[in-house]
Amino acid sequence: MAKIALFGANGTIGSRVLREALDRGHQVTAVVRDPAKLTERHANLTVTTGDVLDPQSVAAAAQGQDVVVSAVGGGDGPGHVATIKPAAESLVAGLRTLGDAAPRLIAVGGAGSLRTPDGKQVWDAEGLPEFLLQIMHAHGDALDFYRTVTDVRWTNLSPAGLIEPGERTGAYRTGLDDLVVDENGKSRISVEDYAVALVDEIEKPRHIGERFTVAD
């Protein structure tokens, strides 16, 4: 059983990660700006107020935990630009203050920077709307930052090309920097199976200091 501090527990991905972790018996501290908005109730769940953009708040939430999970988003494109990389920098800064006692960090990433079978990147596809490009590049900028970090144990988990609510099958395939596609060239994963993969990484670390991706 792990002690997990979860930022972004109210979001589409964060709420599934929260449920998956609680169902497996982990102790979760949901770090949110407004506890009244979190409707989940569980004996192993603690809810506390915190700000992912404040390193001191991050350090306070991370103290005594085994893992910090960041599932924060930004809503629209500009919101992601204003949140994703600054959150990464704040998380790392906060964890650094804990020294050797710092828990590891698993951050929800984006798919935009994954390589496609034609050698390009997902965000190079023609016709992508501006707001989606902003979201993709916000996650790409955060990943670039994480890759400069050698003194915090971080992992970045990119979804498939398409991630949406669906069925929890418990089955998924993994890759590193290449988009994982099926025999028809499609790349998809349910949010529920993404959460399975993330909690699997908590329980059995395989990707410390790198990005990996998951797809059906």
Side-chain angles (χ1 to χ4, degrees):
M1 180 175 63
K3 294 181 179 178
I4 303 165
L6 172 61
F7 288 87
N10 276 323
T12 301
I13 292 177
S15 62
R16 269 70 169 190
V17 172
L18 175 60
R19 171 46 52 190
E20 182 71 24
L22 291 172
D23 285 348
R24 297 200 202 181
H26 297 297
Q27 291 186 349
V28 182
T29 298
V31 188
V32 296
R33 285 178 294 184
D34 183 1
K37 292 184 178 179
L38 188 68
T39 59
E40 184 77 45
R41 297 292 182 270
H42 194 283
N44 286 353
L45 172 63
T46 300
V47 182
T48 189
T49 302
D51 181 358
V52 74
L53 298 179
D54 178 354
Q56 290 186 332
S57 183
V58 169
Q63 185 83 44
Q65 305 289 340
D66 299 310
V67 183
V68 171
V69 175
S70 173
V72 297
D76 57 12
H80 276 74
V81 172
T83 303
I84 302 302
K85 185 182 177 186
E89 293 170 334
S90 174
L91 286 159
V92 168
L95 293 176
R96 279 174 171 154
T97 67
L98 300 179
D100 292 341
R104 64 180 296 218
L105 168 65
I106 302 178
V108 171
S113 60
L114 292 167
R115 286 192 297 263
T116 54
D118 61 3
K120 298 181 180 179
Q121 290 174 289
V122 171
W123 57 38
D124 293 326
E126 294 185 2
L128 294 177
E130 181 60 26
F131 82 91
L132 186 55
L133 287 170
Q134 288 179 316
I135 292 172
M136 289 179 169
H137 283 281
H139 282 290
D141 290 344
L143 178 60
D144 287 343
F145 166 71
Y146 283 127
R147 284 174 163 160
T148 69
V149 175
T150 59
D151 55 348
V152 170
R153 295 171 296 154
W154 62 270
T155 297
N156 190 271
L157 176 52
S158 290
L162 174 63
I163 181 169
E164 58 186 355
E167 181 182 2
R168 182 194 185 283
T169 69
Y172 58 85
R173 295 172 295 145
T174 65
L176 293 178
D177 291 321
D178 293 306
L179 187 71
V180 177
V181 299
D182 63 17
E183 62 275 12
N184 298 313
K186 303 296 184 184
S187 178
R188 179 196 175 277
I189 193 162
S190 70
V191 186
E192 287 74 9
D193 280 340
Y194 178 95
V196 171
L198 193 149
V199 178
D200 283 349
E201 178 66 22
I202 290 174
E203 295 178 349
K204 296 181 179 179
R206 295 187 176 91
H207 298 286
I208 293 176
E210 65 183 17
R211 179 259 294 274
F212 76 107
T213 182
V214 292
D216 291 340

